[in-house]
Amino acid sequence: MTQAPAAPRTARRRHDREIVALAVPAFGALVAEPLFVMADSAIVGHLGTAQLAGLGVASALLMTAVGVFVFLAYATTAAVARRVGAGDLGAAIKQGMDGIWLALLIGVAVIAVTLPTAPSLMALFGASDTAAPYATTYLRISTFGIPAMLVVLAATGVLRGLQDTRTPLYVAVGGFVANAALNGLLVYGVGLGIAGSAWGTVIAQWAMAAVYLYVVVRGARKHNASLRPDAGGIRASAQAGAPLLVRTLSLRAILLIATAVAARLGDADMAAHQIILSLWSLLAFALDAIAIAGQAIIGRYLGAGDAHGARETCRRMIQWGIATGTVLGLLVVATRSMFLPLFSGDAGVQDAALPALIVVALVQPICGVAFVLDGVLMGAGDGPYLARAMLLTLALFAPVALLVPVLGGGLTALWGAMALMMATRMLTLSLRSRSGRWIVTGATR
């Protein structure tokens, strides 16, 4: 049997080392972020049911508000990585600063909208009469942390573009510890109740933002990059992020439609859907970590003018996506009997969830390819195509999902529609990757 040439094998090892070095810390940072809400819930839950319900409604709105602007991280990663590949670290950091200034501007705008409309927003999100006052209090205070979280997103993008995913991991872990400690102190030690939980989270968020700003400002001074806001640069960051905003909104619309359909199927199916959706999010973190590595590596190769390296990295990352998705799918199947009882002892809920869980397991290799190619195209700055592809996916998914209850389908049919959605994403992104049109070299796209 002939062995593979040394050069390709060496290249694969180099790509593997880069992927692992960036993806593993990225996964840790991604998992650490939801722990903020978990810590708040654990502490506030002991205050009473109304307080916990209020926290649930307010935190859902806050997570949506921050999640919509995740393009601040994605677009910044691609732009900074290109400059790094071109060998211009000063311009890379300046590009990142423009993203941070944009984050601050958006954050101020969100505060201006949210503070006066907080009670109306809580009513719109269905907060009960007993939970609404607590939800409003938590939302109004927590709103002051939104600019910090948006700065964290943009600064995370800067560091990822600089090929650094370790610092975001350290900051995320430190932020979680500080948040938990401050919540416990202010809620029970000082006796501020749910307001203390909100203030503790805000303080932790601004502390995280301060650490990021220190790191970025230090880098800017080292490479003589301007820290002043530049209207042209901020506008360019917004333009690069706009298509990714469309992509993100389309994806969130898909998840909202799925939840709305599940709610129409009955309480047992809705409860099972929520359990599966939680698992889906956890699996997505693992695959998204590889996608984040793809954003940083692809952007660097294209910035350096190395189209061949970008293609080879894309090919290798697809292999990683398939392998990781297959492993995750097997884990879901192997642990399904242990996983479901952790969330519900209701036999009806477990019976509804089990076949849908098998669908989730089977679709994971497809998810792996879709997530990886999403990251590759983001790293290439191919946002307009990503927006069009996700709008097409939404247009195909919505009628199929909405027909599920009409045709008498259950939760398994709904998750079959979710599998179709992921297959559509994989197909549209695979066609783009094979076309080579995403490969545009240079410091800017």
Side-chain angles (χ1 to χ4, degrees):
M1 180 182 293
T2 59
Q3 291 184 340
R9 187 165 60 246
T10 301
R12 284 196 300 271
R13 288 174 179 169
R14 184 179 72 252
H15 293 319
D16 290 346
R17 284 195 298 269
E18 288 182 326
I19 293 168
V20 170
L22 291 172
V24 172
F27 174 70
L30 289 170
V31 172
E33 290 173 7
L35 294 179
F36 268 81
V37 177
M38 290 180 64
D40 287 3
S41 299
I43 292 172
V44 171
H46 292 286
L47 293 174
T49 301
Q51 289 90 332
L52 183 58
L55 171 67
V57 177
S59 63
L61 179 59
L62 288 164
M63 290 177 67
T64 299
V66 174
V68 162
F69 298 112
V70 72
F71 72 83
L72 289 165
Y74 294 158
T76 304
T77 297
V80 171
R82 276 185 176 268
R83 299 283 190 178
V84 170
D88 192 347
L89 289 178
I93 295 176
K94 178 63 177 71
Q95 188 91 43
M97 283 302 306
D98 292 333
I100 290 173
W101 280 112
L102 175 62
L104 283 170
L105 290 174
I106 293 173
V108 171
V110 172
I111 289 177
V113 171
T114 305
L115 282 180
T117 61
S120 299
L121 288 171
M122 292 303 93
L124 181 64
F125 269 64
S128 67
D129 291 340
T130 54
Y134 297 110
T136 301
T137 296
Y138 190 89
L139 178 62
R140 280 181 164 158
I141 296 172
S142 297
T143 296
F144 291 104
I146 288 179
M149 290 310 294
L150 297 185
V151 167
V152 167
L153 285 177
T156 298
V158 176
L159 296 181
R160 288 174 181 170
L162 293 172
Q163 318 296 294
D164 176 10
T165 56
R166 290 183 179 273
T167 300
L169 171 61
Y170 300 148
V171 175
V173 172
F176 165 69
V177 173
N179 178 65
L182 286 167
N183 269 255
L185 174 64
L186 296 177
V187 171
Y188 296 110
V190 181
L192 294 180
I194 195 169
S197 176
W199 281 119
T201 300
V202 168
I203 294 170
Q205 289 167 342
W206 275 107
M208 292 171 66
V211 173
Y212 273 117
L213 288 173
Y214 170 77
V215 173
V216 174
V217 168
R218 185 179 61 181
R221 289 174 175 169
K222 180 179 178 180
H223 297 285
N224 297 317
S226 174
L227 298 174
R228 295 179 179 179
D230 176 72
I234 294 173
R235 186 166 52 251
S237 295
Q239 290 172 346
L244 297 180
L245 176 60
V246 173
R247 168 202 167 275
T248 301
L249 289 173
S250 300
L251 181 57
R252 288 194 170 270
I254 287 171
L255 297 176
L256 286 173
I257 290 171
T259 300
V261 170
R264 294 175 61 185
L265 297 176
D267 289 347
D269 280 350
M270 181 59 212
H273 176 75
Q274 185 59 36
I275 294 170
I276 296 172
L277 198 59
S278 299
L279 176 63
W280 180 270
S281 299
L282 179 61
L283 298 173
F285 285 142
L287 297 174
D288 204 27
I290 303 174
I292 287 169
Q295 293 173 34
I297 297 170
I298 292 294
R300 193 189 74 229
Y301 272 116
L302 293 177
D306 188 352
H308 175 73
R311 287 192 187 93
E312 290 300 310
T313 300
C314 177
R315 186 175 297 112
R316 188 58 176 164
M317 295 200 72
I318 290 173
Q319 295 171 353
W320 268 81
I322 294 172
T324 305
T326 301
V327 171
L328 292 175
L330 292 173
L331 285 173
V332 170
V333 173
T335 61
R336 66 190 186 281
S337 60
M338 296 180 289
F339 174 76
L340 291 175
L342 291 176
F343 290 87
S344 176
D346 188 324
V349 172
Q350 293 184 21
D351 289 343
L354 186 57
L357 207 58
I358 299 300
V359 174
V360 170
L362 291 174
V363 82
Q364 286 310 300
I366 293 175
C367 294
V369 176
F371 271 75
V372 163
L373 289 179
D374 207 39
V376 166
L377 296 183
M378 282 184 189
D382 203 12
Y385 181 83
L386 288 171
R388 294 193 298 271
M390 191 58 77
L391 284 171
L392 173 62
T393 303
L394 172 60
L396 291 174
F397 170 79
V400 173
L402 293 173
L403 280 173
V404 168
V406 175
L407 298 177
L411 190 65
T412 304
L414 175 60
W415 277 93
M418 290 288 285
L420 174 64
M421 178 270 292
M422 290 306 306
T424 303
R425 287 185 67 186
M426 184 189 73
L427 177 61
T428 56
L429 300 181
S430 296
L431 290 174
R432 185 65 167 183
S433 70
R434 291 181 180 181
S435 73
R437 294 178 183 175
W438 57 278
I439 300 177
V440 179
T441 58
T444 58
R445 183 177 172 88

